[in-house]
Amino acid sequence: MQNTLTGSTPRPELRRMPPVATLTATAGLIVSLVVGVTVETSTLWGFAPIVLYGLLAALGMPILRATVVSVVSGLLILLPGARTALDMAGEAATDQVTVIGVVILLGGALAEILRATGAAATIVTAAMRFVGTSNTTAVAAGIMVTCLLLVGALGTLAGALAVAVPVLLPIAARAGLTRSATASAIFIGGCAGFAVAPFASGNIAIMGAADIGYLGYLLHGGGPLAVVSLVVGMLVVPWMQRRTRDLDDLYAPEELVATPTDDDAPTDRRARRAAVAFTVTLAAVLVATLTTAGIVLPIVALPLMAVATALGGGMSPRAFAASAVRGASALAWLFVLFFLLAVLFTAIARINPFSVVLGSYGTDIAHLSPFLLAMTVALIGWVGIPGASAAQVVLVDKVFGELAAAAGIGAGVWVVVLLFSSKADTYGPLPNVNMLGVMGLCRSANVRNILITGWAVLVPAVILYTALIWFGTM
């Protein structure tokens, strides 16, 4: 699987699928073909591609490859004719799931333009200067807040941290922060920003699935997670600093110099103008976000912010186009992933297993405890459906959304469930690519310390969201 934080692709030997994953995929496709030939729709077998997807991802198959296998499984069960297949492709191309993929591409383009103009580095430096660098506690708090702001503005953990960390490391080193403490601060701040980012693909997917606006999303889900993260961070990072400061975990003297982003880096004046243009445009967009719901706004806002930043930084049209293509192409695999998911869900909708469930068990479902159903779905998403967070949201909502509505689970609780199921695995219980990516950027090698950081946020977050689901379903 591609590293969702750094965008790097593992070496070929690390991408080999385990034999059990290959056998499971082959068996699943054979069963799907048999079902397609022998069983009429609607049928509960329509859930088979989803189950196969979860199994393959859990067994270590890269998410994009697992999605391809699941799409083929759905098509084998449906066995559409040529005309139907074309209709499905058209539906998938305009589906909201595919539009989320477009938003991801636009976010990648904006992140690269911010990096190329120097606006991102300017914003990071200004934020750290405002917070102060008088002691390690102030620097740690500044790092967390800076990462929160930049990730929240860009809506991408990968792009934001990639441009922020080279600027933050020299500041952390001069203040005497250890590698582990720095990684903890950046991980907590970045993840908090990702929880509240209005243009993050996973958050857009949650708002669309729950049919709720950004303010409602912040109130019910993203806001509490960000607050918990920052409160925990103010306790964990200083503790991590005390724990590691005498363990030869400090940065070397040569790391006190900022890492340049380009050989022909933009001048300070142009970078400042680009940063001001981006900030002003972002502020206007955020005002519109508070009063406008839907996925159309990010499609308009992200290119607008990119153009404003480029104009402010004096970027030529050719350089703008090259930077936008470079940033978007790094995330092209995610666009393909979401288009394939749209095809999969279109096929499943035509197989229509949901009508069988609701027709046979609708009355029983309506009498289920909403709390138990909500917690079960959240746990299934957390431990049973690995992958990109937006894909997890879409998958959980497609499978369980109608059942949740039948059980009387409201939009606010559904936001919590989807956020829980898609983002809890970022914090643990096992190491993940986001943790390891932050460690790589911070030149830290202690996995145990980043795991402790994740667990420190995970435990209170689980308690908080369990309480929110409890009170929201009573």
Side-chain angles (χ1 to χ4, degrees):
M1 185 194 302
Q2 190 181 44
N3 187 323
T4 56
L5 181 66
T6 64
S8 62
T9 303
R11 295 189 302 273
E13 64 268 24
L14 297 181
R15 287 187 278 116
R16 292 173 185 161
M17 289 182 294
V20 65
T22 305
L23 292 175
T24 302
T26 303
L29 294 178
I30 292 173
V31 170
S32 298
L33 178 59
V34 172
V35 170
V37 173
T38 60
V39 178
E40 296 290 334
T41 58
S42 301
T43 171
L44 288 175
W45 281 104
F47 290 119
I50 301 292
V51 174
L52 181 62
Y53 173 88
L55 283 175
L56 295 177
L59 291 171
M61 181 179 285
I63 186 173
L64 187 58
R65 200 173 304 173
T67 306
V68 171
V69 173
S70 300
V71 169
V72 174
S73 170
L75 294 177
L76 288 175
I77 293 174
L78 186 62
L79 290 178
R83 179 62 181 271
T84 302
L86 287 175
D87 290 343
M88 291 172 58
E91 291 176 26
T94 57
D95 191 277
Q96 180 169 322
V97 178
T98 302
V99 177
I100 292 174
V102 174
V103 171
I104 291 173
L105 293 181
L106 295 174
L110 173 60
E112 179 61 21
I113 289 167
L114 280 166
R115 186 200 66 80
T117 58
T122 300
I123 292 170
V124 171
T125 303
M128 289 301 302
R129 187 180 295 120
F130 176 78
V131 174
T133 57
S134 57
N135 54 68
T136 56
T137 301
V139 170
I143 287 175
M144 284 190 288
V145 172
T146 300
C147 290
L148 183 152
L149 292 175
L150 198 58
V151 173
L154 293 183
T156 164
L157 197 63
L161 294 188
V163 297
V165 170
V167 182
L168 291 174
L169 285 191
I171 298 173
R174 290 190 185 97
L177 276 179
T178 65
R179 299 171 191 266
S180 293
T182 303
S184 294
I186 288 173
F187 178 74
I188 290 175
C191 291
F194 206 45
V196 299
F199 303 131
S201 57
N203 300 343
I204 292 172
I206 292 174
M207 288 184 273
D211 192 20
I212 198 168
Y214 179 62
L215 279 179
Y217 166 78
L218 278 183
L219 176 65
H220 293 288
L225 179 57
V227 171
V228 167
S229 298
L230 292 180
V231 170
V232 170
M234 291 307 299
L235 299 174
V236 170
V237 176
W239 175 82
M240 189 66 70
Q241 173 71 12
R242 293 192 299 271
R243 169 188 170 88
T244 57
R245 63 188 174 191
D246 297 324
L247 299 179
D248 192 27
D249 197 38
L250 295 172
Y251 288 98
E254 58 268 19
E255 292 169 311
L256 295 177
V257 180
T259 305
T261 55
D262 283 312
D263 292 335
D264 53 346
T267 64
D268 288 343
R269 182 176 299 176
R270 286 187 174 184
R272 284 195 297 270
R273 288 203 303 262
V276 170
F278 169 76
T279 304
V280 171
T281 310
L282 175 63
V285 168
L286 287 179
V287 172
T289 301
L290 298 178
T291 58
T292 305
I295 201 170
V296 175
L297 181 62
I299 294 178
V300 176
L302 290 171
L304 178 63
M305 289 190 289
V307 170
T309 303
L311 289 175
M315 181 177 276
S316 68
R318 177 175 294 183
F320 172 82
S323 295
V325 170
R326 186 165 57 249
S329 61
L331 301 176
W333 72 277
L334 275 171
F335 172 79
V336 174
L337 169 67
F338 279 90
F339 175 74
L340 290 174
L341 283 174
V343 174
L344 173 62
F345 295 135
T346 301
I348 292 174
R350 289 176 179 261
I351 300 170
N352 199 17
F354 305 104
S355 64
V356 179
V357 173
L358 293 176
S360 302
Y361 308 105
T363 303
D364 295 332
I365 291 171
H367 290 90
L368 281 177
S369 163
F371 172 74
L372 290 179
L373 178 61
M375 288 301 300
T376 300
V377 173
L379 290 172
I380 289 173
W382 176 16
V383 302
I385 308 179
S389 62
Q392 287 177 267
V393 169
V394 171
L395 192 59
V396 169
D397 182 63
K398 291 289 185 180
V399 175
F400 298 107
E402 292 188 37
L403 303 181
I409 295 176
V413 173
W414 197 234
V415 166
V416 178
V417 170
L418 293 176
L419 192 67
F420 193 157
S421 65
S422 63
K423 283 188 167 57
D425 57 356
T426 299
Y427 300 98
L430 301 175
N432 55 69
V433 291
N434 290 331
M435 288 182 180
L436 299 178
V438 168
M439 288 175 58
L441 290 172
C442 296
R443 308 170 195 179
S444 174
N446 196 315
V447 178
R448 183 174 62 176
N449 285 341
I450 200 72
L451 266 178
I452 292 173
T453 300
W455 293 340
V457 177
L458 179 63
V459 172
V462 169
I463 294 172
L464 172 65
Y465 283 131
T466 301
L468 290 175
I469 293 173
W470 170 264
F471 288 112
T473 54
M474 288 299 103

